[in-house]
Amino acid sequence: MFMRLMTSAVLFSLLLPGLARAQAPTSQEWGLLLAGGGGLFAGNNSNNRGGLLSAQVLVLTRFNVEFGFVLQWGRTFRTSQAADLDHWRPGDALARHPSSSFWGAAGEARYRFLRDRRVSPWVALRVGTSTSTKIDTDAFVPRLYSSTHLALAAGAGLDVRIAGPLGVTLGGYYQRCDINHEPYDPICTGAGPTLVLSPHLRF
């Protein structure tokens, strides 16, 4: 799945030179961008790769700076058997869970280039919190633990205007942390790239 998405991103990039030459409708000095989509994230090993959903609300300013709020939810492809020690009794069937999952909320700031073009690149910084749930396989009985930690990300991407307010965003981020690998440790230990494709509305 990851290779298919990367192939689609490469094919999409081949169309950008022609799209960039076409002028988009004149952008308003101030506006609002609503985006929602999905993508993939890759951790430091194959156990920490999965899919995610993302939603964004950004305020567009006349200075090409955009700022707003981001929500993300993701889970790894791999699943494992797990039980909570506080509720586990001998003989209970262990439930299957994703080996790791997370949800996060963050503030994001972007700087946009070529704002009046149909294709406009941007760079971004994101600061927020991420609450991850992971299976502790070192325990006598595999169990779930959760931790909340600071999550930082730097990213870049492209917005393509399709028609009117409708467009699509292809963004890539390098995230300092989403899934924490150490039980009860507030310091994030995971990192990896994230690729998200999101339809958006710009008002």
Side-chain angles (χ1 to χ4, degrees), residues 5 34-40 51-56 70-74 168-169 194-200:
L5 188 58
L34 305 176
L40 299 171
L52 61 85
L53 297 175
S54 176
Q56 295 176 316
V70 181
L71 292 175
Q72 280 191 321
W73 176 86
V168 64
T169 299
T194 298
L195 186 64
V196 180
L197 183 65
S198 305
H200 69 248

Side-chain angles (χ1 to χ4, degrees), residues 13-160:
S13 66
L14 295 176
L15 301 175
L16 293 179
L19 292 171
R21 286 195 291 269
Q23 291 286 344
T26 303
S27 298
Q28 299 177 356
E29 290 189 348
W30 294 83
L32 186 68
L33 184 142
L34 305 176
L40 299 171
F41 67 90
N44 54 8
N45 60 59
S46 60
N47 293 338
N48 296 318
R49 296 172 185 168
L52 61 85
L53 297 175
S54 176
Q56 295 176 316
V57 178
L58 297 174
V59 176
L60 317 178
T61 73
R62 60 182 300 181
F63 308 108
N64 294 335
V65 175
E66 305 170 2
F67 59 91
F69 189 70
V70 181
L71 292 175
Q72 280 191 321
W73 176 86
R75 56 170 290 172
T76 55
F77 297 134
R78 178 185 288 263
T79 59
S80 300
Q81 300 285 355
D84 191 326
L85 281 178
D86 295 334
H87 302 91
W88 181 83
R89 297 190 307 272
D92 286 352
L94 301 182
R96 291 192 69 83
H97 295 270
S99 60
S100 303
S101 63
F102 72 91
W103 70 270
E108 181 169 328
R110 292 181 180 176
Y111 185 82
R112 182 176 301 279
F113 306 92
L114 306 176
R115 181 176 178 180
D116 292 328
R117 293 281 184 173
R118 189 170 296 278
V119 176
S120 55
W122 48 264
V123 293
L125 290 174
R126 182 183 294 172
V127 180
T129 60
S130 184
T131 299
S132 64
T133 301
K134 188 170 175 63
I135 293 178
D136 182 4
T137 56
D138 294 329
F140 178 71
V141 175
R143 64 185 178 89
L144 296 172
Y145 68 86
S146 296
S147 59
T148 299
H149 40 270
L150 180 67
L152 305 173
L158 294 168
D159 279 7
V160 179

